Amino acid sequence: MSFFKWTGLIFFTFLLQTQFSPFGKTLSLSTALVYLFGLRSLPSGFSVGRSDGYYSGRAEVKSTAFGAGVGLLEDIISGSIIGPGVFSKGLIGLFSVVVFTDVIFKWTPLIGVVIIIILTIADGSIIVGLRVFLDNININIFNVFQAIFIQTAFNMPFGIILKPKND
């Protein structure tokens, strides 16, 4: 996809995230967006048994940079300390490529759902954990679990819908 399409998707994602809050909890649609970018940047034709044994890390770098950029925008929009979103979304960008390089998993809808659940839980946990550690804020752990559960429930369908470009 082109730069303008991804910019439009980022804008639309943040617009939905800020305007739609089920049960009074914010959504984490940016996690699904970074996951989509990671899937779309997977190299085509990569397999475990390649004869040359070389695999470029370009997809991981692009996806990590995209995730970190989305995380930076999320940190700026939230008005909180800059860093937790950058770190979290950067890791999501990295892992969404690494997990589906056919070395670890081949993409299937079930694996896609499981991975997006894990990524959404990790995203919420990392962001909250870093904000507690860096900002010394007090949190209600029940509210955090409830928010992460709602975010996970809304991101689950994206694990089935979003698939690699070469699949």
Side-chain angles (χ1 to χ4, degrees):
M1 287 177 134
S2 72
F3 172 77
F4 295 111
K5 288 181 184 176
W6 283 110
T7 304
L9 277 174
I10 291 170
F11 175 76
F12 184 68
T13 300
F14 282 125
L15 182 68
L16 279 177
Q17 233 173 238
T18 56
Q19 298 302 316
F20 184 64
S21 58
F23 308 111
K25 307 293 181 195
T26 60
L27 292 180
S28 182
L29 298 175
S30 57
T31 303
L33 180 67
V34 174
Y35 172 75
L36 172 65
F37 187 86
L39 290 178
R40 298 297 179 189
S41 63
L42 281 172
S44 59
F46 176 74
S47 64
V48 178
R50 280 183 56 172
S51 60
D52 60 356
Y54 176 72
Y55 171 61
S56 169
R58 184 176 306 160
E60 287 93 344
V61 172
K62 282 176 33 178
S63 186
T64 303
F66 179 80
V70 169
L72 178 65
L73 287 173
E74 197 172 70
D75 284 342
I76 290 170
I77 290 172
S78 72
S80 181
I81 184 171
I82 293 182
V86 174
F87 183 70
S88 175
K89 297 298 188 284
L91 282 178
I92 289 172
L94 175 67
F95 288 131
S96 63
V97 173
V98 170
V99 168
F100 292 117
T101 55
D102 289 345
V103 173
I104 299 175
F105 293 113
K106 180 169 177 49
W107 187 89
T108 64
L110 178 63
I111 298 292
V113 169
V114 170
I115 295 299
I116 202 154
I117 287 171
I118 291 170
L119 292 177
T120 305
I121 291 170
D123 178 51
S125 302
I126 289 170
I127 288 176
V128 169
L130 285 176
R131 286 189 178 155
V132 166
F133 180 71
L134 297 174
D135 277 348
N136 293 325
I137 60 173
N138 295 324
I139 61 166
N140 182 343
I141 197 72
F142 178 74
N143 286 341
V144 171
F145 286 142
Q146 188 178 30
I148 291 174
F149 177 77
I150 290 171
Q151 291 170 353
T152 303
F154 272 86
N155 282 350
M156 280 175 50
F158 292 114
I160 298 170
I161 296 169
L162 306 177
K163 55 186 167 184
K165 65 180 175 185
N166 57 355
D167 198 34

